């Protein structure tokens, strides 16, 4: 029989409420809709005031504020303990990816339903992927129990996101889209969402960079970030995410800026071997050459340009290359040996202009 | 507060297995995966041989063959009775939209899980929408219990679909996409899938029309039909589907050809009042004017051109216009009074070339 187009795809049940002001107007009703009445709030210290304001009328039984990047196991243990002692019947996360990640760590072991109110473009709220860090190594996995049952997207909550975090978080969403085009379970559904997400982000991000108080642009970016996250969760982690997990989990690099630095280098590496993904990417970016298109978009946004400036030591590059080569998906459109990984990382560390010619020339 | 982008969206859990040969290789395992062991097969008489071949190794307890278009209530009652007397724990539908619709009628009252093996581009297998016809009137509704738990898409099963049915069924899928751009719950997710579906269909349908045995084109059309159906089920029924339900349920017009005739007239009516949907449609069709683009695509495929040739009597037009005006969504981008409905139907009945200028000029 023919090989041809073949894939499997699983959609998961999730309710999304999107609109300016919805975190204030819809949260109580959505918690009630889930039949919940004892809410454990998870929010980072920096968002404590926002969380208090949004939850003042809700049946809150406890609040967990000790959110940390990449969800260290100790953080997860403490949050799970609080869920137990408080008798919570639901977890309400208000914040970015690390906050949602902490709520997921609770859901993993308790099965409590999560209501997520994102304040960034991280997208964790739309995926069944969890991540935990233990002894300097990040583990990730997929578990339907950690997928938030309800997500309330209120673009007003993103208005105060500073310009640098806006860009880094938006480009994290862009990485979800682009990496899903060649991820192990890429399929026509994930690619449809990725293309729409890329188009939305490349139009909205320059606007929100220019004027962070532009609510329409904020809404467009947030909705594109949702498309990005759903594309990612159905397609799985591609090479880009495997690299970022190594860099974030092992070397404690900041999550979103790392994604912003790495993506153009992964695109430069994969594009020559992935013609149909390259065509979708070029079309979504509205440019003839997708790698140049990404590089120019990233530069215009003032994205961080190198792993060096994020604090990675060049001494770590050989070990990182080994870990990346081990973690790279077997289905990547181009095989990733340790030399390939070293090449990608070296360019990304130095901040060289990413281009497929250059990556080829250095081989 | 700002109005701006606002929507709610619910994704539902469904597993899709897509690939040439999968109906032969994967069906037993997928039934087992659902924990089922007593299968009620639903297939039309015309597909009896195919159904027998695909199910020969399965634990079949009964087979229902009396499938009829638009699922008359008597058909539903008979099928439900067979589900009861046979002690089935699952329903396996093998066929087009009417076959899946019959399986859904069973699931509505019994809660039995459906495994769907589509043989056309109807898309019913990807929606939670049911339809029943009683005393000449079609009712439709949405119920999560009727959404098939698993869909097996095997493009080989579509190879024998005759050219005229291929076109009619493919344009039914096209109507799902286009109508979802302005349907009541249209949202960024449904529009992303609709755009990808339109693009896939406009590329694949001319190929499958030219050579029905082109398996790659068949696979592309089938996967686009899935995108179309998911877009439709999340966006809801727009004006086009309301018109087709009236025509199919009340005047017994054939489902898929009716969709092929009606869509360009609905597009001509709505496009001037729906600029962002029009832009998405034009982009997906790869043309500057989306109405002309649809008309030319439909003509090139040899689509049926008028409601008259499908058997509608001109005497029925006034009543049909009244029913359409009653059924039209309040959220349609352009209000639909009885005169508007009469205008759309009169042009569609006569087979006039659809164009927004013409529809305006006749007002």
């Amino acid at each position: 029989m023919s090989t041809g187009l073949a894939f499997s795809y699983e959609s998961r049940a999730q309710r999304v409420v999107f609109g300016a002001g919805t975190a204030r107007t819809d949260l109580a009703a959505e918690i009630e809709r889930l039949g919940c009445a004892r809410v454990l709030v998870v929010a980072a210290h920096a968002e404590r005031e926002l969380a208090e304001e949004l939850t003042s009328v809700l049946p809150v039984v406890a609040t967990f504020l000790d959110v940390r990047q990449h969800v260290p196991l100790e953080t997860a243990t403490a949050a799970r303990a609080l869920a137990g002692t408080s008798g919570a019947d639901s977890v309400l996360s208000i914040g970015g990816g690390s906050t949602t990640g902490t709520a997921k760590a609770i859901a993993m072991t308790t099965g409590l339903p999560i209501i997520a109110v994102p304040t960034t473009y991280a997208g964790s709220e739309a995926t069944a992927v969890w991540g935990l860090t233990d002894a300097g190594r990040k583990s990730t996995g997929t578990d339907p129990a950690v997928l938030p049952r309800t997500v309330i997207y209120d673009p007003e909550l993103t208005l105060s996101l500073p310009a640098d975090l806006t860009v880094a978080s938006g480009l994290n969403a862009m990485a979800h889209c682009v990496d899903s085009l060649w991820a192990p379970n890429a399929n026509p559904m994930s690619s449809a969402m990725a293309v729409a997400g890329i188009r939305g982000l490349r139009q909205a991000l320059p606007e929100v960079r220019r004027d962070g108080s532009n609510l329409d642009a904020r809404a467009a970016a947030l909705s594109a970030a949702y498309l990005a996250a759903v594309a990612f969760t159905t397609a799985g982690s591609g090479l880009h995410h495997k690299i970022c997990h190594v860099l974030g989990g092992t070397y404690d690099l900041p999550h979103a800026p790392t994604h912003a630095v790495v993506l153009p280098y992964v695109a430069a590496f994969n594009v020559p071997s992935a013609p149909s993904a390259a065509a979708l990417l070029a079309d979504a970016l509205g440019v003839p050459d997708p790698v140049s298109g990404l590089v120019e978009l990233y530069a215009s946004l003032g994205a961080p340009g190198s792993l060096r400036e994020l604090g990675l030591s060049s001494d770590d590059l050989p070990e990182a290359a080994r870990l990346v080569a081990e973690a790279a998906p077997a289905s990547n459109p181009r095989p990733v040996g340790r030399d390939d990984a070293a090449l990608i990382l070296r360019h990304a560390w130095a901040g060289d202009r990413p281009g497929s010619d250059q990556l080829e020339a250095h081989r």
Side-chain angles (χ1 to χ4, degrees), chain A:
Chain A
M1 290 297 154
S2 156
T3 50
L5 181 63
F7 62 89
S8 69
Y9 168 78
E10 305 224 9
S11 56
R12 295 198 176 87
Q14 184 172 60
R15 175 171 165 81
V16 168
V17 176
F18 189 108
T22 51
R24 288 173 174 79
T25 56
D26 289 31
L27 201 39
E30 291 300 330
I31 288 166
E32 203 179 312
R33 189 183 176 111
L34 291 175
C36 294
R38 296 182 62 81
V39 177
L40 169 59
V41 175
V42 178
H45 283 287
E47 283 161 319
R48 178 183 200 151
E49 267 184 55
L50 173 68
E52 283 176 354
E53 186 205 329
L54 294 180
T55 62
S56 61
V57 299
L58 302 179
V60 174
V61 295
T63 300
F64 184 85
L65 295 168
D66 191 23
V67 168
R68 291 174 194 276
Q69 276 213 337
H70 306 301
V71 195
L73 194 56
E74 312 81 79
T75 302
T77 303
R80 290 163 179 170
L82 184 58
T85 55
S86 65
D89 64 6
S90 51
V91 184
L92 170 61
S93 68
I94 299 172
S98 300
T99 305
T100 313
T102 305
K104 287 177 166 184
I106 299 171
M108 267 176 85
T109 55
T110 62
L112 294 181
I114 299 173
I115 302 103
V117 183
T119 59
T120 70
Y121 310 126
S124 174
E125 66 283 355
T127 85
V129 176
W130 53 262
L132 287 172
T133 309
D134 188 22
R137 189 70 67 89
K138 185 165 189 175
S139 316
T140 62
T142 299
D143 180 347
V146 309
L147 179 71
R149 299 270 285 278
T150 305
V151 184
I152 297 191
Y153 283 111
D154 183 347
E156 290 183 2
L157 304 189
T158 64
L159 290 175
S160 58
L161 198 64
D164 57 341
L165 288 182
T166 293
V167 168
S169 189
L171 295 182
N172 186 19
M174 181 65 92
H176 286 151
C177 292
V178 176
D179 207 31
S180 77
L181 296 174
W182 43 59
N185 303 318
N187 62 72
M189 300 291 287
S190 60
S191 293
M193 293 182 266
V195 165
I198 293 165
R199 190 163 289 159
L201 289 166
R202 69 119 161 140
Q203 290 167 345
L205 291 182
E207 297 290 329
V208 294
R209 165 98 200 163
R210 198 171 303 126
D211 175 10
S213 70
N214 179 336
L215 189 58
D216 285 341
R218 287 287 189 186
L222 191 58
S223 117
Y226 177 63
L227 283 157
V230 181
F232 172 60
T233 200
T234 63
S237 284
L239 176 59
H240 169 83
H241 280 82
K242 295 298 185 184
I243 292 175
C244 292
H245 289 157
V246 165
L247 296 175
T250 312
Y251 306 104
D252 207 28
L253 296 198
H255 183 79
T258 303
H259 280 274
V261 169
V262 169
L263 186 78
Y265 297 94
V266 171
F269 182 77
N270 272 350
V271 150
S273 305
S276 59
L280 289 175
L281 181 55
D283 184 57
L285 289 169
V287 296
D289 175 41
V291 177
S292 300
L294 281 177
V295 169
E296 278 150 36
L297 175 66
Y298 279 49
S300 77
L301 292 169
S306 72
L307 296 176
R308 177 166 44 186
E309 74 191 72
L310 302 185
L312 186 68
S313 159
S314 65
D315 295 346
D316 289 328
L317 289 174
E319 186 199 36
R322 182 178 61 75
L323 294 172
V324 164
E326 282 171 11
S331 64
N332 193 61
R334 182 171 162 186
V336 187
R338 201 187 298 186
D339 289 351
D340 302 297
L343 194 66
I344 295 168
L345 288 174
R346 183 154 46 86
H347 284 295
W349 182 81
D352 299 331
R353 183 180 166 97
S356 45
D357 290 357
Q358 179 198 47
L359 283 176
E360 292 292 346
H362 279 77
R363 288 182 72 90

